[in-house]
Amino acid sequence: MSMRKLAKWHIWLGWLIGVPLIIWTLTGLLMVSRPIEDVRGTHLRQDIPQAPLPANAAIAADLSQLEKPVRSLSIAMEGSLAVTRVTYMDGTVERYSESGRSIPALNEIGARTVVARQIVGGSEVDAARFYPADEAPLDLRQPVDSWQVKLADGTNVYVAPATGDILAVRTPFWRLFDLAWGLHIMDLETREDTSHPVLILFAALSSIGVVMGTVLLFRRRKARPKPANG
């Protein structure tokens, strides 16, 4: 193939891949503009020291009364109480107090209390809403029951009703980052599919375009003949 024809194909290919290349470059720049810890809201989590487990602490659940297969048992301090956690094979969790009674799932007040205690600015709440597992918000990225506690600065904090654990902290920048990621991998629906035909096609075409451009950078132009003096 002549250099002239290669240059022509490179121009036409550039029109096709120009928009994806711009999107990849701009979204990539946005995603690396801040540390990943800031994106994940790690800086908003309070470092709360955990009280030591009493020497006489023991598993409080009555194992003979459990109706589902158990994956694991653990005991840890939650505030000033030693709480037993039973994790079942289906992934669900149940907590028991020191007296052996099952601890009910968190209500809205409980979820707000967890956020106020463990998140910087967590007492400034705009709204709280419960989401069942089959209606989990996109920014949670987990098909589990959750309380969404929306803070005044736009941050969404998700709390697990069964355990009181914070599942995720989603800042406004996280959502912007998430949109950029969806554009970057060309998957705005789930934002998780990094290997699909559209992305592979444009990546392949872009690679071809880059190789063509590199070859054209090193082409040698033939000197034009000087016009004869007449």
Side-chain angles (χ1 to χ4, degrees):
M1 181 184 291
S2 67
M3 286 295 180
R4 186 183 297 275
K5 185 173 290 187
L6 184 64
K8 182 179 178 180
W9 278 104
H10 184 254
I11 291 172
W12 283 109
L13 188 58
W15 282 108
L16 179 63
I17 63 177
V19 172
L21 285 174
I22 291 172
I23 291 175
W24 289 337
T25 302
L26 293 179
T27 54
L29 177 61
L30 184 143
M31 289 189 290
V32 300
S33 64
R34 294 172 66 174
I36 192 63
E37 291 79 12
D38 289 354
V39 177
R40 293 172 177 167
T42 305
H43 62 294
L44 297 178
R45 292 178 181 259
Q46 302 265 33
D47 186 13
I48 302 174
Q50 189 176 29
L53 196 64
N56 61 347
I59 297 295
D62 185 352
L63 302 182
S64 64
Q65 299 298 317
L66 302 181
E67 299 179 353
K68 296 188 294 183
V70 175
R71 177 186 299 169
S72 64
L73 292 168
S74 64
I75 181 170
M77 295 299 294
E78 294 186 12
S80 59
L81 300 176
V83 174
T84 297
R85 289 194 183 194
V86 180
T87 303
Y88 297 103
M89 293 301 295
D90 61 5
T92 58
V93 178
E94 195 168 7
R95 296 183 300 163
Y96 290 86
S97 66
E98 296 172 342
S99 64
R101 293 183 179 180
S102 177
I103 300 175
L106 265 66
N107 56 17
E108 179 179 338
I109 295 176
R112 285 172 176 254
T113 300
V114 168
V115 173
R117 182 170 180 267
Q118 298 188 28
I119 298 295
V120 176
S123 58
E124 301 176 7
V125 176
D126 272 355
R129 178 181 174 183
F130 175 77
Y131 285 92
D134 58 353
E135 297 178 13
L138 178 62
D139 63 346
L140 176 56
R141 290 291 201 281
Q142 299 180 55
V144 296
D145 293 345
S146 65
W147 279 103
Q148 181 198 70
V149 180
K150 185 180 293 292
L151 304 183
D153 65 356
T155 297
N156 292 335
V157 182
Y158 291 95
V159 182
T163 64
D165 294 337
I166 292 182
L167 297 170
V169 179
R170 305 307 193 200
T171 63
F173 187 79
W174 186 97
R175 291 192 290 276
L176 181 60
F177 181 102
D178 189 48
L179 175 60
W181 171 248
L183 289 169
H184 199 77
I185 64 172
M186 297 183 173
D187 176 22
L188 286 174
E189 185 174 356
T190 66
R191 301 176 189 177
E192 293 182 354
D193 190 356
T194 59
S195 179
H196 55 85
V198 174
L199 180 59
I200 294 172
L201 173 63
F202 276 106
L205 292 175
S206 299
S207 299
I208 295 171
V210 169
V211 172
M212 284 183 175
T214 303
V215 172
L216 290 169
L217 282 174
F218 293 97
R219 77 186 188 275
R220 294 182 177 180
R221 297 179 182 274
K222 293 182 179 180
R224 294 180 180 178
K226 295 181 180 180
N229 293 328

